[in-house]
C-alpha cells in the first residue's frame, strides 16, 4: 500500500471517501466504486497523518460498511495503530503532556479505537488502544503542577497557549474517549481501569462540559466561570457531550446520569436562543449532526417519544437548508446532510461520530 500525504480525496471528512459512505448507505455500489477509485488514485496514507478520518483507517471504515475491507487494508491499518501506540508509549515514558492529535477522535487513538471496535471478531489491538485512553484518566505533571492526563500543553489550534487547555468536545476533546470507552464496555470489551476512567471523564464533564475547553484559570477557580453563549453542536458543545454522557450512563448503569444527559439534549434543542446560533446544515456543527445525534439519544432513551417533536423540527430545518451547502463531502457538506436526511444507519456509518 503506497504512502502519500498529498491527496485530499482519501479524507473522510471532505473527500471522496465521505461521498462513498453515502453511496454505500444508499446501496448505490456503482457510485461507491467511482468515489473509492477517486479516493485511492494517488495512494493511501499509512503515515503519521493516518487516522479514522484520513488514509488507510478511513478507507477501511468505508469499505467495511460494504463488508469489503480486505486483509491488505486491515494490515495497513494495524501498522498505523502500532505506530501510534509506540508514539504514545514514548510520550508517556518521557513524562510530557499529550497533544490532542495523539488521542482525539478525528486524528488520534479514539478514532482508531472506534474503527477497531467495528471489526468482527474484535481486533486484537483494540485492548492496547483502550488501555492508552485509560491512561489519560491518570493525573500528569505539567507546567509545575498536577493536571488532567489529557491536558494539552498548547491551545485548541495547536498554537502556544499559556497554561495549555483541557479540550471537552466530542471531536477533539475528552468526550470522545468517554464515548468510545463506554461503547466498548457495552460491547463487552474492557481493560483494567476502564470503568474508573469512564467515571473520571464523565465527572470532569459534569463540572466543565458547559465550556468548549477548560483553561488553567478554570482549574484554579472554586467553580468554572459561566460559559459564554456559544453554538451547540456535535463537534463542540453540550449536545455532543450529552451523548457521550448518555453512553457512559448506559455502560455504568447510572439512570441519574442518563436522565441528566437526555434532559440536556431536550432543553438545548427546544431553546430558541440556542437554535438561533445554528447557522448551517452540516454534520459537524449544524442541523444534520444534531438530527443524527438526537435520533441516537432517543433510541437509547426509555422515553423516546419526548424527542419526537424535536426530531421533526430538526428534520424540517435540515430539509429546507441542506442544498445550500457549498461542499460535497461528509462532515461539512451535502453528503453528510443527505445521510442525516436518509434517516438510516444500516451500515453503521454513525460510529464515525461515536453516536453508536
Amino acid at each position: 500500500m503506497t504512502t502519500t500525504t498529498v491527496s485530499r480525496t482519501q479524507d473522510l471528512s471532505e473527500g471522496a471517501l465521505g461521498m462513498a459512505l453515502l453511496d454505500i448507505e444508499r446501496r448505490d455500489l456503482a457510485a461507491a466504486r467511482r468515489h473509492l477509485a477517486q479516493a485511492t488514485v494517488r495512494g493511501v496514507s499509512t503515515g503519521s497523518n493516518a487516522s479514522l478520518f484520513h488514509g488507510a483507517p478511513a478507507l477501511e471504515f468505508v469499505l467495511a460498511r460494504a463488508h469489503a475491507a480486505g486483509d491488505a487494508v486491515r494490515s495497513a491499518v494495524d501498522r498505523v495503530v502500532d505506530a501510534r501506540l509506540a508514539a504514545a508509549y514514548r510520550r508517556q515514558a518521557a513524562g510530557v503532556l499529550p497533544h490532542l492529535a495523539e488521542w482525539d477522535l478525528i486524528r488520534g487513538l479514539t478514532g482508531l479505537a472506534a474503527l477497531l471496535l467495528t471489526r468482527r471478531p474484535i481486533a486484537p489491538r483494540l485492548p492496547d488502544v483502550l488501555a492508552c485512553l485509560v491512561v489519560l484518566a491518570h493525573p500528569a505533571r505539567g507546567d509545575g503542577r498536577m493536571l488532567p492526563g489529557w491536558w494539552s500543553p498548547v491551545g485548541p489550534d495547536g498554537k502556544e497557549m499559556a497554561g495549555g487547555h483541557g479540550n471537552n468536545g466530542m471531536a477533539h476533546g475528552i468526550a470522545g474517549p468517554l464515548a468510545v470507552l463506554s461503547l466498548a464496555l457495552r460491547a463487552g470489551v474492557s481493560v483494567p481501569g476502564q470503568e474508573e476512567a469512564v467515571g473520571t471523564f464523565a465527572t470532569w464533564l459534569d463540572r466543565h462540559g458547559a465550556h468548549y475547553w477548560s483553561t488553567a484559570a478554570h482549574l484554579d477557580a472554586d467553580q468554572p466561570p459561566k460559559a459564554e453563549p456559544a453554538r451547540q453542536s456535535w463537534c463542540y458543545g453540550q449536545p455532543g457531550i450529552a451523548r457521550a454522557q448518555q453512553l457512559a450512563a448506559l455502560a455504568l448503569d447510572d439512570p441519574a446520569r442518563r436522565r441528566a444527559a437526555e434532559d440536556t439534549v431536550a432543553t438545548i434543542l427546544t431553546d430558541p436562543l440556542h437554535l438561533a446560533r445554528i447557522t448551517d446544515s452540516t454534520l459537524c456543527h449544524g442541523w444534520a449532526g444534531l438530527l443524527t445525534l438526537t435520533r441516537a439519544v432517543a433510541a437509547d432513551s426509555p422515553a423516546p417519544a419526548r424527542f419526537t417533536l424535536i426530531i421533526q423540527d430538526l428534520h424540517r430545518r435540515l430539509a429546507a437548508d441542506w442544498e445550500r451547502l457549498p461542499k460535497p463531502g461528509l462532515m461539512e457538506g451535502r453528503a453528510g446532510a443527505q445521510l442525516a436526511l436518509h434517516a438510516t444507519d444500516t451500515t453503521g456509518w454513525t460510529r464515525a461520530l461515536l453516536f453508536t
Side-chain angles (χ1 to χ4, degrees):
M1 184 166 287
T2 305
T3 299
T4 178
T5 60
V6 178
S7 177
R8 293 288 291 175
T9 58
Q10 61 184 283
D11 186 281
L12 183 61
S13 177
E14 297 180 23
L17 282 179
M19 291 180 274
L21 204 58
L22 172 63
D23 300 331
I24 294 168
E25 184 67 26
R26 287 174 162 176
R27 300 183 181 179
D28 186 350
L29 297 186
R33 291 187 189 97
R34 290 194 296 272
H35 281 127
L36 287 165
Q38 180 185 350
T40 57
V41 68
R42 299 181 67 183
V44 180
S45 176
T46 57
S48 60
N49 67 341
S51 65
L52 176 60
F53 278 79
H54 188 81
L59 178 61
E60 180 188 339
F61 183 82
V62 174
L63 289 174
R65 301 316 97 207
H67 307 287
D71 290 342
V73 173
R74 285 192 292 267
S75 294
V77 171
D78 288 344
R79 294 195 297 274
V80 169
V81 173
D82 289 343
R84 299 300 290 271
L85 286 172
Y89 297 151
R90 289 193 297 271
R91 192 272 306 167
Q92 292 167 11
V96 297
L97 294 171
H99 285 257
L100 301 183
E102 175 187 304
W103 56 264
D104 74 9
L105 171 63
I106 302 298
R107 299 164 296 177
L109 291 170
T110 294
L112 293 175
L115 170 61
L116 296 180
L117 193 56
T118 67
R119 287 189 186 176
R120 293 296 180 269
I122 296 295
R125 286 168 173 79
L126 178 59
D128 292 332
V129 179
L130 297 178
C132 253
L133 296 175
V134 166
V135 169
L136 297 175
H138 302 165
R141 179 165 293 279
D143 202 24
R145 64 189 299 180
M146 296 307 294
L147 295 165
W150 63 90
W151 201 264
S152 173
V154 298
D157 58 1
K159 297 179 181 178
E160 184 176 351
M161 177 180 183
H165 84 294
N167 204 289
N168 297 324
M170 184 72 99
H172 295 295
I174 202 60
L178 174 60
V180 80
L181 290 172
S182 299
L183 286 165
L185 285 172
R186 296 185 73 195
V189 184
S190 65
V191 297
Q194 187 167 334
E195 290 190 15
E196 292 80 2
V198 167
T200 295
F201 301 152
T203 301
W204 169 270
L205 290 171
D206 289 340
R207 179 178 172 86
H208 295 277
H211 294 266
Y212 280 7
W213 52 78
S214 303
T215 67
H218 292 183
L219 297 179
D220 295 330
D222 291 335
Q223 290 291 331
K226 185 177 180 180
E228 296 292 327
R231 179 180 61 194
Q232 299 298 318
S233 62
W234 164 78
C235 59
Y236 273 112
Q238 291 177 280
I241 290 171
R243 175 55 177 167
Q245 291 275 36
Q246 186 195 35
L247 290 170
L250 293 167
L252 300 179
D253 191 21
D254 185 343
R257 182 174 298 282
R258 179 190 53 72
R259 285 193 297 271
E262 293 170 14
D263 288 347
T264 295
V265 173
T267 298
I268 288 174
L269 296 183
T270 54
D271 183 337
L273 294 178
H274 282 306
L275 294 173
R277 293 184 178 276
I278 310 301
T279 58
D280 65 47
S281 296
T282 63
L283 270 181
C284 188
H285 42 251
W287 301 121
L290 292 171
L291 174 58
T292 308
L293 181 153
T294 306
R295 287 194 186 115
V297 169
D300 281 329
S301 172
R306 72 182 297 204
F307 298 100
T308 299
L309 292 179
I310 297 172
I311 289 170
Q312 290 173 352
D313 178 58
L314 294 172
H315 187 278
R316 176 185 58 80
R317 293 173 186 269
L318 175 60
D321 190 64
W322 75 271
E323 290 181 294
R324 296 190 183 96
L325 290 172
K327 296 181 180 181
L330 178 69
M331 296 304 292
E332 295 188 355
R334 297 184 297 276
Q338 289 175 88
L339 275 166
L341 283 173
H342 203 262
T344 64
D345 187 23
T346 57
T347 63
W349 71 269
T350 60
R351 176 56 59 84
L353 281 72
L354 294 181
F355 286 144
T356 56

